[in-house]
C-alpha cells in the first residue's frame, strides 16, 4: 500500500506554475530568461488599496474574521454585483475565500460525489479538471474550434450533458485563449442549460474588467435570470486590481451552496487574510482609476503581440477579446527540428525547446486541452514582449 491517497494520482501539477518555476530557476542561474508564462499583471497594487491595508494593520484589524468574509467586504461585493452585473445577492449568498481557486475548489468539493460529471468548456484553465478529479468527479470536455474563436457551440454543450452532469464551467474572457462570449453567445448556451435543470453553472468572471475593442462583458446569470438560482458567479481582485498575492476571491450564489462552501472552508483554511479583506473593500468600493488606466495598456500589448506573432512562419494567432493571453496555433512548426537537434513532435516540445534554446518561457497548449498551441501572457512589459516575440521568431526561422 502506498503512503499517499489515490486521489493524488488523479491530479497533475499546474503546467503554468511548473513553467514559471523552471524559468525562474534558469534566471536565478544567470540565464537571460523572458517569462511570458505567468498570468500575473506587472502593475503595482493601486496606492489607495495598499493604504487601506496599512490602515487596517494600524487599527489592529489583524485577528480572525468570519469564516467566509467580513460583513463590510460582503457588502462591497454585493454592491459590485448589483452595479456592474445587475445581480442582487444577500450577504448569506456571498462567499469570500483565499483566491478564486479556493472558491472553485470549495464548490466542487461540496457538491460532487464519485463519478459525477463536470462539463468544461475547452480550451480551459489548467486547474479545472484537476480540481474536479480531486473532488471525486469526472471532467467532460467540450472543445471550441480555432475557426469559431474557441467558443463552444450550444449543440456540443447539449451533447455533453448527461444524467450525471452536476456542473457546467465557463470562463469568459477565457484563460488561455482570451475568447469572450457575448450576450447572444451566452443566451444560446443558456437555452441549452434551461433544458437541464439538474446542472449547476459555474461562471468564472475573473477577467471581467479586461475586455477590449467591441467586446462587451456579460455574465450568464444576468443574461438568463432563469439560471440565477443555480449559478455560482465567481470573481476576485487578483487580475483587475493587480492583487494576485493578496489572495481574495469571491462569489455569489444560492444560500445553501454558499453555506456548504463555508463548511468546507471552516475545516480547511478558515478565514481569508483579514488585512487582505480590508484591502479588497477599498479595491471594490474606492476609485476605479486603475482599471480604466490599465485596460488600454493591455489592449496595446495584445495588438503588438498578435501582429508580431502573425509575421512568424508556422504560427497563426487570432485576436483575443479579453484577459491578457494569446493562444496561437503552432501547427506549422510540428515535425521540424531545432538547431540543437530537438524534434518538435508536440507543443510541449516547442515550449521546452523555446525555453532551452531561446530563453523564452511560454506554456504548451496540451495543458489547456488543445494542441498544437502555446499560451503567451502579455501581462509583461512592452520591452519584454518585443524581445520575446523576436526570440520566438528566430526560434521558428531556425527550425528545419
Amino acid at each position: 500500500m502506498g503512503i499517499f491517497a489515490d486521489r493524488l494520482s488523479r491530479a497533475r501539477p499546474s503546467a503554468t506554475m511548473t513553467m514559471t518555476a523552471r524559468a525562474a530557476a534558469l534566471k536565478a542561474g544567470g540565464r537571460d530568461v523572458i517569462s511570458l508564462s505567468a498570468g500575473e499583471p506587472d502593475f503595482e497594487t493601486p496606492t489607495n488599496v495598499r493604504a487601506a491595508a496599512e490602515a487596517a494593520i494600524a487599527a489592529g484589524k489583524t485577528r480572525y474574521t468570519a469564516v467566509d468574509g467580513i460583513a463590510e467586504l460582503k457588502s462591497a461585493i454585493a454592491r459590485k454585483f448589483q452595479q456592474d452585473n445587475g445581480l442582487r445577492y444577500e450577504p448569506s449568498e456571498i462567499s469570500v475565500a483565499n483566491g478564486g481557486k479556493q472558491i472553485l475548489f470549495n464548490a466542487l468539493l461540496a457538491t460532487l460525489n464519485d463519478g459525477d460529471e463536470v462539463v468544461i468548456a475547452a480550451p480551459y484553465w489548467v486547474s479545472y479538471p484537476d480540481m474536479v478529479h480531486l473532488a471525486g468527479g469526472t471532467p467532460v470536455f467540450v472543445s471550441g474550434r480555432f475557426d469559431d474563436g474557441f467558443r463552444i457551440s450550444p449543440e456540443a454543450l447539449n451533447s455533453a450533458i448527461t444524467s450525471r452532469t452536476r456542473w457546467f464551467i465557463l470562463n469568459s474572457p477565457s484563460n488561455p485563449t482570451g475568447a469572450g462570449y457575448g450576450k447572444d453567445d451566452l443566451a444560446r448556451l443558456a437555452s441549452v442549460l434551461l433544458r437541464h435543470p439538474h446542472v449547476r453553472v459555474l461562471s468564472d468572471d475573473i477577467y471581467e474588467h479586461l475586455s477590449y475593442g467591441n467586446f462587451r462583458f456579460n455574465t450568464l446569470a444576468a443574461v438568463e435570470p432563469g439560471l440565477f438560482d443555480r449559478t455560482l458567479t465567481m470573481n476576485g481582485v487578483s487580475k483587475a486590481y493587480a492583487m494576485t498575492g493578496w489572495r481574495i476571491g469571491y462569489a455569489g450564489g444560492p444560500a445553501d451552496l454558499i453555506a456548504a462552501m463555508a463548511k468546507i472552508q471552516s475545516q480547511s483554511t478558515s478565514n481569508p487574510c483579514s488585512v487582505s479583506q480590508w484591502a479588497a473593500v477599498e479595491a471594490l468600493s474606492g476609485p476605479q482609476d486603475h482599471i480604466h488606466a490599465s485596460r488600454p495598456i493591455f489592449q496595446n500589448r495584445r495588438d503588438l503581440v498578435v501582429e508580431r506573432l502573425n509575421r512568424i512562419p508556422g504560427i497563426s494567432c487570432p485576436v483575443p477579446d479579453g484577459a491578457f493571453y494569446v493562444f496561437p496555433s503552432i501547427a506549422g512548426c510540428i515535425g521540424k527540428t531545432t538547431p540543437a537537434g530537438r524534434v518538435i513532435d508536440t507543443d510541449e516540445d516547442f515550449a521546452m525547446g523555446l525555453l532551452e534554446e531561446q530563453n523564452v518561457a511560454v506554456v504548451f497548449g496540451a495543458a489547456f486541452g488543445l494542441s498544437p498551441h502555446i499560451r503567451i501572457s502579455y501581462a509583461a512589459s512592452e520591452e519584454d514582449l518585443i524581445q520575446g516575440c523576436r526570440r520566438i521568431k528566430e526560434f521558428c526561422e531556425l527550425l528545419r
Side-chain angles (χ1 to χ4, degrees):
M1 180 181 293
I3 61 172
F4 297 114
D6 292 343
R7 72 177 66 88
L8 195 62
S9 66
R10 303 173 197 152
R12 306 159 298 171
S14 166
T16 54
M17 297 294 187
T18 299
M19 288 300 291
T20 300
R22 175 64 178 152
L26 290 174
K27 196 165 188 174
R31 296 267 290 269
D32 178 24
V33 174
I34 295 174
S35 182
L36 305 179
S37 57
E40 183 170 42
D42 60 322
F43 305 120
E44 293 294 336
T45 300
T47 303
N48 63 306
V49 176
R50 284 181 278 157
E54 292 170 1
I57 294 171
K61 297 176 179 178
T62 56
R63 299 183 180 277
Y64 293 134
T65 75
V67 165
D68 63 347
I70 58 176
E72 292 85 351
L73 181 51
K74 287 194 172 190
S75 294
I77 291 166
R79 288 193 299 271
K80 176 261 178 282
F81 274 130
Q82 176 67 40
Q83 293 168 5
D84 293 353
N85 309 116
L87 299 174
R88 188 179 298 276
Y89 293 107
E90 298 298 323
S92 62
E93 298 172 313
I94 290 174
S95 176
V96 183
N98 296 279
K101 186 175 284 190
Q102 188 179 29
I103 290 284
L104 300 170
F105 193 81
N106 285 348
L108 295 171
L109 202 61
T111 56
L112 293 181
N113 291 311
D114 288 351
D116 286 345
E117 295 173 353
V118 177
V119 175
I120 302 172
Y124 47 75
W125 179 44
V126 293
S127 292
Y128 292 146
D130 294 289
M131 286 187 194
V132 171
H133 281 305
L134 287 170
T138 301
V140 176
F141 304 114
V142 180
S143 293
R145 298 170 57 247
F146 180 94
D147 292 342
D148 295 329
F150 300 113
R151 298 174 192 85
I152 67 170
S153 69
E155 295 78 16
L157 172 60
N158 190 61
S159 296
I161 294 174
T162 72
S163 61
R164 295 201 64 84
T165 304
R166 296 293 174 262
W167 286 95
F168 167 56
I169 299 179
L170 183 69
N171 175 211
S172 170
S174 159
N175 174 5
T177 66
Y181 287 76
K183 189 173 183 178
D184 291 342
D185 299 318
L186 293 175
R188 286 189 285 270
L189 296 180
S191 69
V192 172
L193 294 163
L194 288 172
R195 300 200 297 269
H196 300 281
H198 65 290
V199 178
R200 295 181 187 265
V201 179
L202 206 163
S203 183
D204 183 346
D205 296 357
I206 196 72
Y207 296 100
E208 170 185 5
H209 291 299
L210 298 173
S211 301
Y212 316 121
N214 294 324
F215 177 72
R216 295 293 176 266
F217 174 82
N218 284 274
T219 192
L220 258 171
V223 170
E224 177 46 73
L227 293 175
F228 180 81
D229 290 338
R230 53 189 170 105
T231 297
L232 183 69
T233 302
M234 191 280 286
N235 212 314
V237 298
S238 293
K239 311 299 183 179
Y241 298 95
M243 294 175 67
T244 51
W246 299 76
R247 308 310 303 138
I248 295 292
Y250 60 83
D256 59 347
L257 173 60
I258 296 298
M261 291 164 59
K263 183 185 291 187
I264 298 288
Q265 191 160 306
S266 73
Q267 298 295 357
S268 55
T269 64
S270 193
N271 65 272
C273 170
S274 61
V275 174
S276 294
Q277 290 188 66
W278 286 105
V281 171
E282 175 62 22
L284 295 174
S285 303
Q288 303 299 295
D289 300 358
H290 175 83
I291 291 176
H292 302 311
S294 63
R295 188 183 293 120
I297 295 173
F298 279 128
Q299 182 167 336
N300 288 338
R301 292 175 178 180
R302 176 201 68 171
D303 295 343
L304 180 155
V305 170
V306 169
E307 192 271 332
R308 287 173 182 261
L309 289 177
N310 279 323
R311 291 189 212 160
I312 300 174
I315 291 182
S316 179
C317 184
V319 180
D321 299 306
F324 38 62
Y325 312 102
V326 292
F327 198 63
S329 166
I330 58 160
C333 301
I334 299 298
K336 297 186 177 181
T337 304
T338 74
R342 183 189 303 266
V343 179
I344 306 298
D345 286 329
T346 66
D347 46 33
E348 185 171 4
D349 293 333
F350 183 98
M352 294 309 299
L354 182 64
L355 179 58
E356 296 296 339
E357 299 181 34
Q358 287 289 344
N359 295 316
V360 177
V362 300
V363 188
F364 53 93
F368 305 98
L370 189 65
S371 295
H373 289 262
I374 56 172
R375 190 197 76 172
I376 295 172
S377 168
Y378 52 88
S381 70
E382 186 171 316
E383 179 183 355
D384 278 354
L385 293 172
I386 291 172
Q387 176 75 336
C389 287
R390 185 194 66 75
R391 294 184 188 182
I392 295 170
K393 182 173 186 287
E394 183 174 338
F395 180 73
C396 291
E397 287 178 341
L398 291 172
L399 295 176
R400 294 292 180 265

